Amino acid sequence: MKIFYYHIIFISILFSSCINSKKKVQEVNLYTQRHYSVDKKQFENFTNLTGIKVNVVKSNADELIERIKNEAKNCPADIFISVDAGKLYKAKKQNLLKKLNYSDFNFKLKDVLLDKDSCWIPLTYRARVIVFSKDRVSRDELSTYEDLSSSKWKNRLLIRSSSNSYNQAFLSSVIAHKGIENSLLWARGVVNNFARSPKGNDRDQVKAIYAGEGDLALINTYYLGLLLNSDKEEEVNAGKSVDIFFPNQNNDSGVHVNISGAGILKNSPNYDNALKLLNYLISGDAQKLYCNSSYEFPVNNDIQFNNLMQNWGTFLIDSIDLNLLGVYRDEAIKIFDKSGWK
Ligand code: FE
C-alpha cells in the first residue's frame, strides 16, 4: 500500500514537471526591419548560449509600427528593431516603447547614440559618406555635404531615391543644422547635379560609378565593405574603383550617422529574455561579428574597428540628437517633393 502511495506521488510529480517545462519554453519575439544575413547568425549564437529561442518577423519599419499598434495588448513582439533612429522616434512618439534603464546593460555604449528618453539601445551605427571615382575625382575637390549642390558636380552625382529612409534621415539632419529654407536650396542644387534619375540601392550607386555613369555618390560605408568582400568579381571591382571621403570634418558638424537600434515594447511578454538578447547583441562577441560580417560600426566602446574600417580612417561624427532624424522627417519628405528628387 505504501509503495503504491509513493508511486502515485512520483507519477504526479513527473506529470506536473512536464506541464511546467511545457510552460517554460524560453523565447523572445522580434519585429525587425533589418535584412542582413549576420542577424541570423547572431540569433543562433544567442540561442546556443542561452537556450532562448528567437522568433523573427521581418518587414519595413512603418508596417511593423502599424502592426504593433493594431495588435495592441495581443502583440507577441518583445523587441522592435529598426535601421533608422527616426523610426524608433516614431514608435516612441506613439507610446509603443518601454522606458529602459541603461544601467541594465552591461557594456559601455557610445553616448551620442543613446536616446535622451532611454527608449532605445543602439546595436550598430552607420555613416553616410561620399564615395568617389579614384580615376575621375581627386580627394582635394571634396569637402562637405553642402558642396554636393555646387555646379561643379553637374551630371556627376549618383544617389538613390528620396523614398529611402537613409536619405530621409540624412536630409532631416541637414534641416536640423541648416534650417528648412537652406535645405530646400541644397536639395534643388543636388537634383540639378544628378547623373541620372535616382534608382537602385547604395551598392548600385557604386556600380554606376564603376560603369562610368557618374563620378561620386552618397552611400552608407558598410555597403562598400560588402562589395569589397563579395564573392562576385564585378562587385569587388566596383568597390575597388572608389574611395571613401568623410565630409564636414574641419571644425564642422561631422559625418551623418544613424543607428540600427532596438526598443523593448510596452507589452513585451518576455521582457527578461528581451533584455538578455539586447545585452548579448552589444557584447564584444556580437559586436565583432557585426563589424566583420556586415561592416557596420560597433556601438560598444571596447570594440575596435576591423582592418577595413581602420583603413578608412577615424572620423568626426555628427553628434546631433538622433531623435531629430524623426522630428524633421515630414519636412524632409516635403523638401524632396518640392525639389523634384524622385
Ligand atoms: Fe542597409
Side-chain angles (χ1 to χ4, degrees):
M1 185 66 193
K2 209 167 182 184
I3 288 170
F4 178 72
Y5 178 71
Y6 285 127
H7 205 76
I8 297 277
I9 289 178
F10 177 72
I11 287 171
S12 60
I13 288 170
L14 199 72
F15 189 66
S16 68
S17 73
C18 280
I19 291 174
N20 282 341
S21 69
K22 200 159 190 190
K23 263 192 209 155
K24 274 190 202 150
V25 170
Q26 291 293 323
E27 60 181 3
V28 58
N29 301 318
L30 305 188
Y31 282 4
T32 178
Q33 187 192 2
R34 282 177 60 94
H35 54 89
Y36 310 92
S37 54
V38 63
D39 291 45
K40 198 170 167 236
K41 190 77 198 130
Q42 299 279 30
F43 303 149
E44 279 169 12
N45 290 347
F46 173 73
T47 302
N48 289 339
L49 202 68
T50 61
I52 300 167
K53 195 172 163 229
V54 183
N55 304 310
V56 178
V57 171
K58 287 188 214 171
S59 189
N60 80 42
D62 290 329
E63 279 169 20
L64 293 174
I65 289 172
E66 274 316 294
R67 185 164 167 173
I68 295 162
K69 275 190 331 203
N70 291 336
E71 290 173 336
K73 287 241 176 328
N74 297 321
C75 180
D78 298 291
I79 296 176
F80 168 61
I81 294 180
S82 177
V83 292
D84 177 2
K87 300 298 180 189
L88 289 161
Y89 165 83
K90 184 177 171 182
K92 175 173 75 174
K93 269 284 173 216
Q94 303 199 18
N95 220 9
L96 304 178
L97 302 183
K98 214 188 257 297
K99 204 174 172 65
L100 302 170
N101 194 344
Y102 280 141
S103 61
D104 286 341
F105 295 88
N106 305 331
F107 305 93
K108 183 87 189 90
L109 300 174
K110 230 174 164 44
D111 282 335
V112 68
L113 306 175
L114 299 176
D115 175 30
K116 61 181 190 318
D117 305 311
S118 320
C119 282
W120 70 62
I121 278 286
L123 303 176
T124 68
Y125 70 100
R126 295 93 174 278
R128 201 149 181 77
V129 303
I130 299 169
V131 289
F132 60 97
S133 162
K134 285 177 181 167
D135 294 337
R136 299 184 298 277
V137 178
S138 129
R139 183 173 281 281
D140 47 343
E141 293 176 87
L142 296 163
S143 57
T144 60
Y145 294 116
E146 291 74 23
D147 177 64
L148 295 177
S149 68
S150 147
S151 58
K152 76 180 184 209
W153 303 117
K154 182 112 183 133
N155 300 325
R156 301 174 73 188
L157 181 61
L158 292 151
I159 189 162
R160 71 199 290 178
S161 92
S162 63
S163 62
N164 167 256
S165 78
Y166 302 151
N167 280 343
Q168 292 177 0
F170 172 73
L171 186 56
S172 302
S173 80
V174 177
I175 297 171
H177 286 294
K178 307 279 172 190
I180 291 170
E181 293 279 300
N182 289 331
S183 301
L184 177 59
L185 287 174
W186 177 81
R188 284 192 169 128
V190 165
V191 170
N192 270 326
N193 291 340
F194 281 168
R196 62 177 188 187
S197 189
K199 64 173 176 183
N201 56 30
D202 281 5
R203 266 175 280 206
D204 293 323
Q205 313 312 314
V206 178
K207 290 176 189 172
I209 293 176
Y210 180 55
E213 284 186 68
D215 295 337
L216 69 168
L218 200 63
I219 68 159
N220 289 352
T221 56
Y222 60 91
Y223 285 111
L224 187 55
L226 291 169
L227 285 172
L228 290 169
N229 290 282
S230 169
D231 45 22
K232 295 183 189 127
E233 199 187 341
E234 280 300 286
E235 295 200 329
V236 177
N237 289 339
K240 283 182 178 164
S241 75
V242 301
D243 218 339
I244 277 187
F245 182 81
F246 294 110
N248 299 66
Q249 295 296 290
N250 297 323
N251 297 319
D252 207 335
S253 52
V255 166
H256 165 69
V257 299
N258 203 340
I259 53 169
S260 238
I264 299 186
L265 295 168
K266 280 237 161 107
N267 295 321
S268 162
N270 307 288
Y271 179 75
D272 290 346
N273 291 347
L275 265 188
K276 279 183 198 155
L277 177 61
L278 295 186
N279 252 314
Y280 177 74
L281 294 175
I282 57 173
S283 71
D285 286 349
Q287 289 285 298
K288 278 184 211 151
L289 188 62
Y290 280 132
C291 217
N292 293 325
S293 306
S294 57
Y295 310 98
E296 294 167 273
F297 295 112
V299 296
N300 179 328
N301 278 340
D302 297 329
I303 301 306
Q304 287 194 328
F305 290 2
N306 70 9
N307 285 345
L308 175 69
M309 294 164 172
Q310 285 186 18
N311 286 340
W312 289 338
T314 53
F315 56 97
L316 172 75
I317 70 175
D318 185 358
S319 56
I320 58 165
D321 174 0
L322 290 178
N323 282 286
L324 296 177
L325 306 184
V327 170
Y328 290 116
R329 188 61 52 105
D330 291 344
E331 287 298 342
I333 291 168
K334 274 187 221 159
I335 289 174
F336 277 134
D337 285 344
K338 280 188 196 163
S339 66
W341 186 324
K342 294 213 176 72

